[in-house]
């Protein structure tokens, strides 16, 4: 059924998707926007606060089984088109309130293990991590946020940045890898 509902356009499609997902999520607040093309997996491991908007073709992956991933998105948070939040394989992603996430942003809370050379990487499993985003953060388009990163309250991440380390509150960070380039 969800495959069909995923592609129903307009306001009717949004209402149908919210109707379908509401009892399946751990918690879903009021005024949620899930537009056409979104892929959501592991609904029982996802919490959405009030007034959360997911852009066209957004992807939320929180594991299939309970406890295999976790995503929490705070109220008044907007994810632009093609945003991927991937907390599969034991990862955890927590996004605060009033956060803006630009198009094509990727959060990856778990990473492949690759230490052994006698076993192909695909068979070595994953190392779970966590990503914590504070309140009132703006993440520019095409940024990538990797595991075990905290982005402090009020921070700004420049477009195209790769965030591999913590970003202080009210810092402006940019680059590959992202470094502090200013303060708000």
């Amino acid at each position: 059924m969800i495959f069909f509902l995923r592609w129903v356009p307009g306001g009717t499609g949004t209402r149908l998707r919210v109707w379908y997902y509401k009892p399946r999520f751990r918690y879903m607040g009021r005024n949620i926007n899930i537009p056409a093309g979104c892929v959501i997996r592991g609904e029982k491991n996802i919490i959405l606060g009030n007034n959360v908007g997911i852009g066209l073709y957004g992807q939320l992956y929180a594991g299939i089984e309970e406890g295999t991933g976790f995503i929490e998105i705070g109220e008044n948070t907007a994810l632009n088109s093609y945003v991927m939040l991937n907390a599969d394989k034991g990862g955890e992603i927590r996004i605060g309130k009033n956060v803006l996430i630009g198009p094509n942003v990727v959060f990856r809370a778990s990473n492949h293990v690759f230490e052994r050379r006698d076993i192909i990487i695909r068979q070595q499993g994953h190392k779970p991590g966590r990503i914590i985003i504070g309140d009132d953060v703006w993440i520019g388009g095409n940024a990538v946020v990797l595991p075990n990163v905290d982005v402090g309250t009020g921070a700004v991440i420049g477009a195209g940045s790769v965030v591999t380390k913590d970003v202080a509150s009210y810092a402006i960070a940019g680059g590959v890898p992202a470094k502090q380039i200013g303060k708000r």
Side-chain angles (χ1 to χ4, degrees):
M1 179 199 279
I2 190 56
F3 181 78
F4 169 74
L5 289 178
R6 184 176 298 148
W7 300 108
V8 177
T12 299
T14 296
R15 286 188 294 281
L16 285 171
R17 283 182 287 279
V18 169
W19 167 82
Y20 174 83
Y21 281 119
K22 187 159 184 79
R24 290 167 173 78
F25 275 48
R26 184 179 293 180
Y27 175 80
M28 180 188 283
R30 296 179 321 278
N31 194 28
I32 304 299
N33 183 42
I34 304 173
C38 289
V39 177
I40 300 173
R41 191 170 73 189
E43 301 94 324
K44 64 183 157 280
N45 301 321
I46 299 174
I47 294 173
L48 299 181
N50 296 327
N51 306 313
V52 170
I54 301 169
L56 289 169
Y57 307 106
Q59 300 171 58
L60 306 179
Y61 300 121
I64 302 294
E65 295 91 32
E66 193 165 340
T68 60
F70 180 75
I71 296 173
E72 180 176 9
I73 302 174
E75 64 185 43
N76 304 315
T77 292
L79 284 61
N80 211 310
S81 299
Y82 296 97
V83 170
M84 176 195 281
L85 304 181
N86 192 330
D88 267 352
K89 309 296 183 187
E92 176 183 341
I93 298 172
R94 293 182 185 268
I95 299 172
K97 300 174 186 175
N98 303 301
V99 174
L100 298 171
I101 300 176
N104 304 308
V105 171
V106 174
F107 286 36
R108 177 70 182 175
S110 297
N111 243 334
H112 291 278
V113 175
F114 56 88
E115 281 78 22
R116 295 184 57 182
R117 293 170 58 179
D118 61 323
I119 300 174
I120 62 173
I121 294 170
R122 176 183 201 124
Q123 294 176 347
Q124 292 185 50
H126 290 79
K127 182 176 181 182
R130 51 115 194 91
I131 297 170
I132 310 294
I133 307 296
D135 297 338
D136 187 31
V137 169
W138 175 26
I139 300 176
N142 297 303
V144 176
V145 182
L146 295 176
N148 302 316
V149 167
D150 289 358
V151 176
T153 297
V156 174
I157 307 297
S161 298
V162 177
V163 183
T164 61
K165 295 184 177 160
D166 293 351
V167 176
S169 292
Y170 302 101
I172 300 169
V176 180
K179 294 181 170 69
Q180 184 170 325
I181 57 175
K183 288 286 273 181
R184 287 185 58 210

